[in-house]
Amino acid sequence: MELGYHNPFSDSKSRLRRSAEPCTVVIFGASGDLTKRKLIPALYNLARKNLLAPGFSVVGAGRTPMSHDEFRIAMQEANNQFTDAGLVHDIVWQNFAAGLFYNMIRSDSADGYEKLAALLDEIDSERGTSGNRLFYLATPPSMFIQIIRSLGSRSLNRSQEGGWTRIVVEKPFGLDLTSAKDLNHELLAVFSEDQVYRIDHYLGKETVQNIMVLRFANGIFEPLWNRRYIDQVQITAAESIGVESRGEYYEQAGALRDMVQNHMMQLLTLVAMEPPVSLDATAVRDEKIKVVQAIRPFAADSIDKIAVRGQYGRGGFGRNINGYRQEKNISQHSTTETYAAVKIFIDNWRWATVPFYLRSGKRLPKRLTEIAIKFKNVPHLLFDDDAGGFESNTLALRIQPDKGISLSFNAKSPGQFIDIRPVHMDFQYATSFVKKSPEAYARLLLDALLGDSTLFARRDMVEKTWGLFMPILEKWQQPTETIPIYEPGSWGPAEAEELLERDGRRWRQP
């Protein structure tokens, strides 16, 4: 078979320091939405920026019968649809597409994996990929273990050419502690931990990565980043949409599993971690796991005081919107939460008295992911009650969609009398930098190709966070538990407001 080798990116004159070695990426689930919407456009954009080596190749693996050319056409259509029109260039695509191939695999068919091994060897020989391989599991989680075992049984977990082999696993990493441990056991029976990249696309967002820069590159913040000056931290991940086409998955997961246990805990650890000794992946991830280890366990008899759930009902937004139970593939009697809020304490020297409030929900007023650091009030107020409205100083890190950072403080309004009003200093990525932020998947894929695991979840982090939230999940799964219903377009159930009111606090309304 002629592979059509062309050194796709050999005419690049501006190879960058972080460009990847020659390698082949094998995408299981190649005809799925993730591949079409995210992975192929991300890899194409890395190629467009000259960040992929000559000979870089992609093998799509799936159950759908398809030739190499048919796969290339399908991926071109996807790329044209999901990449900004101004970034699609025919010559770049033609060079990129020269490295696209397809291999059909049905179930755990030995024949399919043997053909895959032969194709990879042929690509190594003709395109100079040196036995370097990255396997990407973009399939439903139910297929993970089967694929992992098949790769191991055909010795595809180790390169015969002396190159490197890695595997990227999409979330969810299990649906509870037991299934997470089972998945890790299967993974580590075939691959070593340093070969495994558990991807969380939140960590690829530019604004998430900027948390460490904000904290550790600015002398004005680090002295204040502790219990002496910070009153509370609120982390919000809100969506205005419902479950849409994800009903079958969401019915098994719910908001706590889908958002809080993974994405939001990653944000919490970045806010709360101690300075790492270096930016080495091990050093950074060591500090993050220390935060999780210091979180106060959730006692079974106190769940109602530290955790709230809710489910959106009908109506809201001025329209007759379906409630969760009216969505496709949802049980009429479902008690799956579409809103979850949790109060967390970190029992260490820096954060001992500071509550971290996490909330995530669907059908809320707006799409927003934000970290709000609320500082303590001044110890003695010089101004009388008629001076105006005081607010505590808040540093807000906006992750999406309006990426930026704002700092609120109190100032005197112009006039003859002292009239104090809160004002805001605002930084926006869109107006401050001409350069557009890279897509999260592009950043994470490049890191995996480079062997940089800093932004990927480690086994101990995954299992520790599952263990932390199991008491809440077990409580909510009891048949005697009822679930509050909230109106679409609101900020969640009344119980969520009460969670903070008991502490003399209230949710920030961004």
Side-chain angles (χ1 to χ4, degrees):
M1 178 185 64
E2 177 58 44
L3 293 177
Y5 176 61
H6 173 60
N7 278 346
F9 315 114
S10 59
D11 54 352
S12 167
K13 296 181 181 179
S14 57
R15 306 292 299 166
L16 302 182
R17 181 171 58 88
R18 281 177 54 84
S19 60
E21 295 179 87
C23 66
T24 302
V25 175
V26 180
I27 303 176
F28 290 93
S31 59
D33 274 357
L34 178 62
T35 302
K36 295 174 181 176
R37 290 173 176 270
K38 298 294 183 181
L39 302 185
I40 290 297
L43 290 171
Y44 165 79
N45 277 293
L46 291 176
R48 185 179 58 82
K49 296 176 181 178
N50 298 322
L51 293 171
L52 301 179
F56 177 85
S57 304
V58 176
V59 175
R63 293 175 291 185
T64 305
M66 208 181 309
S67 69
H68 297 318
D69 285 339
E70 287 171 335
F71 179 62
R72 290 166 186 149
I73 292 169
M75 294 304 100
Q76 183 176 22
E77 291 172 352
N79 191 62
N80 290 344
Q81 181 178 357
F82 297 110
T83 297
D84 291 344
L87 302 179
V88 178
H89 307 295
D90 287 343
I91 294 177
V92 177
W93 175 260
Q94 288 168 15
N95 286 337
F96 178 74
L100 296 182
F101 307 95
Y102 188 79
N103 186 88
M104 189 177 74
I105 296 180
R106 293 180 183 268
S107 188
D108 60 349
S109 164
D111 182 57
Y113 282 92
E114 287 169 3
K115 288 181 178 178
L116 174 61
L119 177 58
L120 290 173
D121 288 342
E122 195 168 355
I123 292 171
D124 285 340
S125 174
E126 295 202 22
R127 295 181 62 80
T129 47
S130 305
N132 296 326
R133 295 160 186 178
L134 178 74
F135 297 103
Y136 198 115
L137 304 191
T139 65
S142 59
M143 298 178 65
F144 287 176
I145 290 176
Q146 172 187 298
I147 295 170
I148 293 163
R149 289 176 177 175
S150 296
L151 290 173
S153 66
R154 276 75 181 184
S155 300
L156 289 169
N157 56 327
R158 298 287 186 273
S159 173
Q160 305 303 312
E161 301 295 325
W164 50 258
T165 303
R166 299 171 190 141
I167 184 167
V168 178
V169 184
E170 272 284 342
K171 84 171 196 60
F173 316 121
L175 287 172
D176 54 24
L177 179 58
T178 299
S179 58
K181 284 184 173 181
D182 288 344
L183 177 55
N184 279 330
H185 175 77
E186 295 286 347
L187 269 169
L188 300 180
V190 177
F191 297 91
S192 59
E193 178 63 31
D194 62 0
Q195 292 179 283
V196 178
Y197 290 70
R198 301 172 188 84
I199 194 168
D200 185 333
H201 73 273
Y202 255 56
L203 289 178
K205 295 179 183 294
E206 194 77 20
T207 40
V208 172
Q209 297 166 49
N210 201 44
I211 295 171
M212 288 182 64
V213 176
L214 177 79
R215 287 193 56 192
F216 304 132
N218 294 286
I220 62 173
F221 294 122
E222 181 56 26
L224 309 180
W225 213 265
N226 56 63
R227 71 188 188 284
R228 292 189 180 90
Y229 301 101
I230 293 177
D231 174 71
Q232 58 178 294
V233 178
Q234 295 186 15
I235 305 179
T236 298
E239 293 183 275
S240 59
I241 61 172
V243 297
E244 296 187 311
S245 62
R246 299 177 69 215
E248 187 173 352
Y249 160 74
Y250 206 86
E251 186 72 343
Q252 299 178 55
L256 195 73
R257 288 183 171 97
D258 188 48
M259 289 294 297
V260 179
Q261 180 272 335
N262 39 69
H263 299 324
M264 301 190 75
M265 288 300 294
Q266 293 287 353
L267 298 180
L268 180 147
T269 56
L270 287 169
V271 171
M273 65 187 280
E274 295 298 317
V277 296
S278 73
L279 293 180
D280 173 77
T282 299
V284 172
R285 299 199 292 181
D286 282 349
E287 294 303 332
K288 291 171 70 175
I289 190 61
K290 287 177 186 177
V291 174
V292 180
Q293 290 168 340
I295 291 176
R296 188 179 303 170
F298 302 130
D301 59 356
S302 66
I303 299 300
D304 291 339
K305 297 178 182 177
I306 53 88
V308 169
R309 65 174 178 164
Q311 186 184 97
Y312 64 83
R314 283 185 176 274
F317 293 101
R319 309 190 303 275
N320 187 25
I321 292 174
N322 280 342
Y324 177 72
R325 294 174 186 174
Q326 286 77 52
E327 302 279 19
K328 186 178 179 181
N329 296 320
I330 303 299
S331 166
Q332 295 292 309
H333 307 287
S334 173
T335 57
T336 298
E337 78 282 358
T338 60
Y339 177 99
V342 183
K343 178 170 69 173
I344 289 174
F345 280 100
I346 301 171
D347 289 333
N348 64 15
W349 191 267
R350 185 183 291 265
W351 300 109
T353 59
V354 179
F356 283 69
Y357 299 104
L358 279 59
R359 62 173 171 173
S360 179
K362 292 188 176 294
R363 291 293 187 201
L364 300 184
K366 62 170 73 172
R367 175 176 175 253
L368 172 83
T369 301
E370 176 191 81
I371 302 168
I373 291 68
K374 299 179 77 69
F375 292 89
K376 291 182 177 180
N377 289 322
V378 295
H380 174 66
L381 194 60
L382 293 175
F383 307 98
D384 58 34
D385 294 340
D386 295 329
F390 296 89
E391 290 186 3
S392 61
N393 303 134
T394 301
L395 180 66
L397 316 179
R398 298 188 303 275
I399 308 300
Q400 63 181 14
D402 300 320
K403 305 176 183 69
I405 301 171
S406 67
L407 176 65
S408 70
F409 57 94
N410 298 303
K412 178 185 176 298
S413 177
Q416 297 294 329
F417 304 99
I418 294 180
D419 182 19
I420 297 176
R421 292 288 180 265
V423 295
H424 300 271
M425 294 176 63
D426 196 57
F427 154 71
Q428 296 184 355
Y429 277 84
T431 56
S432 296
F433 297 112
V434 176
K435 194 175 181 180
K436 185 179 179 181
S437 297
E439 290 294 323
Y441 273 97
R443 168 63 192 264
L444 293 171
L445 277 165
L446 180 58
D447 281 358
L449 294 172
L450 292 167
D452 183 350
S453 58
T454 306
L455 300 179
F456 295 83
R458 202 166 62 186
R459 175 184 184 172
D460 53 357
M461 181 76 165
V462 170
E463 294 183 4
K464 188 67 179 177
T465 53
W466 272 123
L468 181 69
F469 286 103
M470 285 312 298
I472 299 176
L473 290 169
E474 290 167 356
K475 169 79 170 174
W476 287 354
Q477 287 169 353
Q478 293 177 8
T480 56
E481 290 291 304
T482 57
I483 187 165
I485 304 297
Y486 63 93
E487 183 180 1
S490 71
W491 279 104
E495 288 83 352
E497 299 297 332
E498 295 168 4
L499 178 68
L500 269 69
E501 288 172 359
R502 288 195 291 268
D503 298 339
R505 299 182 175 95
R506 58 188 175 85
W507 288 109
R508 167 181 161 86
Q509 301 301 329

